[in-house]
Amino acid sequence: MENFEFYNPTKILFGKDTEKKIGKILAKDDIERVLFLYGKSSIKETGLYDKVVRALKEEDIEYIEHRGVKPNPVLSHTREGIEKAKRYNVDAILAVGGGSVIDEGKTIAVGAKTDKDIWDFFRREKEIKKALPIYVILTVAATGSEMNGYAVITNEDTNEKLSISSPHIYPRVSILNPELTFTVPPRYQAYAAVDVIAHVIEYYFTGQHCPNLQNRFIEGIIKTVMDTTNSILRDQRDYNARAEFMWTATLALNGLSQVGIKGGEFPNHMIAHALGALYDIPHGACLSIVIPAWMKWYKDKNSHQFRRFAEKIFNLSDEEGGIKAIKAWFSEIGAPVNLKEVGIEEGEIEKIATNAHNIATVWKMDKTYTKEVLTEILKNAKD
Ligand code: NZQ
Ligand code: ZN
């Protein structure tokens, strides 16, 4: 097992009706004024908006709304939020939604505390020194953003989808009520499932050594994601399946699945972010296209682990069988598994490879992931 540091300061409130506590939680922390972020319409349709407003009013907490966060959140809307946070001098960020709302909230939390250009932090040219405290009510389980120090934003002027990482942007408190996810549509549940699996397999396959505990933990996450997603797709309101899926998604990217592994990179996310930046495809759908293609290219570099994956997840004996089986499951639940399915022709591959290579450069992975390699991987995904 490798040496590691583990730090996770996020307090989790999990279970039914927990969202009603948001006012009291903020009041206890002496928060008087928040920037309240949400997406397009889902929280109004489900009645969550009214519940949040009521809880804030009961504690006399002022709120400034920042609505309309897009899935794959964009820099221009984030900049507007930073401007509002500064103008109204808010004490904290309240993000009510999925990964996109949380990530934009985290970025605003950083932007509100600096006069530097926020995009410099994404280009890794500046280090984050502070941020406003962040409070979350999660409405779609997928990204793990509710309990980690990452945020991903798309710069729509340059078509770059990049991330920040800092101990200052872990949410202070995240509220996870599985009932709030009953309305997540089946298609989006499929993308979420792919995303959670992606979060654990990146290190599982690319790490040079994965301790037994980590292997078993990760395989447990993958199996739980598959079982609970199958149940959710049969019955949207299956509380136990929604609850287990929600907590599994949080555990997949709160740091625990990566500790003790030697090395490890996030190549599938790197390529998926290029697809997201260029075509605005949902994050999980980008991953379901990239993962089987990347696996095909990578499998001989760690054949032992690919054989283990085939055996432990699908009870199969060969690497190729494991790759085919995961691809088939992605398809079965309704996630796309090649570029053609999302209307991207082979002629676009060079553009995607160039975009992914830019991310590889920022992430210092460009030695392995040259444009030629990225093109080869993407060609595996063409149809
Ligand atoms: O905008 P509204 O109307 O709220 O609709 C949203 C949105 O269209 C809808 N939705 C959310 N909760 C719902 C619901 N619909 C019905 N019922 C509910 N309860 O779902 C749609 C997608 O929401 P979004 O927040 O975009 O989804 P997700 O949580 O998958 O977040 C994706 C973003 O997170 C980034 C992705 O790249 C992408 O930009 N990621 C963030 C990570 C992190 N911070 O750690 C890691 C991930 O790898 C990922 O990159
Ligand atoms: Zn992801």
Side-chain angles (χ1 to χ4, degrees), residues 40-42 99-100 103 139 148 161 180 183 188 199 269 283:
K40 193 172 161 218
S41 54
S42 74
S100 296
D103 286 6
T139 66
N148 71 35
K161 185 169 182 177
L180 298 178
T183 48
Y188 209 84
H199 293 157
H269 274 75
H283 175 61

Side-chain angles (χ1 to χ4, degrees), residues 299-346:
K299 74 173 183 347
D300 295 335
K301 297 176 183 29
N302 195 357
S303 50
H304 165 79
Q305 193 72 344
F306 273 83
R307 259 196 310 281
R308 183 184 165 111
F309 173 80
E311 190 200 320
K312 300 287 179 191
I313 307 297
F314 296 107
N315 216 3
L316 293 167
S317 56
D318 67 305
E319 301 104 281
E320 199 68 54
I323 299 172
K324 280 193 184 136
I326 194 75
K327 186 173 177 179
W329 187 73
F330 288 167
S331 234
E332 200 181 299
I333 60 172
V337 289
N338 59 53
L339 294 168
K340 213 171 186 179
E341 276 186 67
V342 291
I344 300 174
E345 298 297 332
E346 197 179 345

Side-chain angles (χ1 to χ4, degrees), residues 254-284:
N254 73 347
L256 280 177
S257 74
Q258 292 157 352
V259 292
I261 298 180
K262 186 171 185 192
E265 292 180 324
F266 259 57
N268 291 284
H269 274 75
M270 182 180 76
I271 306 170
H273 285 347
L275 281 175
L278 290 167
Y279 306 100
D280 203 14
I281 298 166
H283 175 61

Side-chain angles (χ1 to χ4, degrees), residues 2-14:
E2 287 298 292
N3 291 355
F4 65 85
E5 285 182 17
F6 179 76
Y7 171 76
N8 199 313
T10 303
K11 178 172 179 172
I12 298 287
L13 263 75
F14 190 97

Side-chain angles (χ1 to χ4, degrees), residues 142-143 194-196 198-199 253 266 269 273 283-284 287:
T143 65
V194 175
D195 193 21
V196 180
H199 293 157
L253 200 61
F266 259 57
H269 274 75
H273 285 347
H283 175 61
L287 285 163

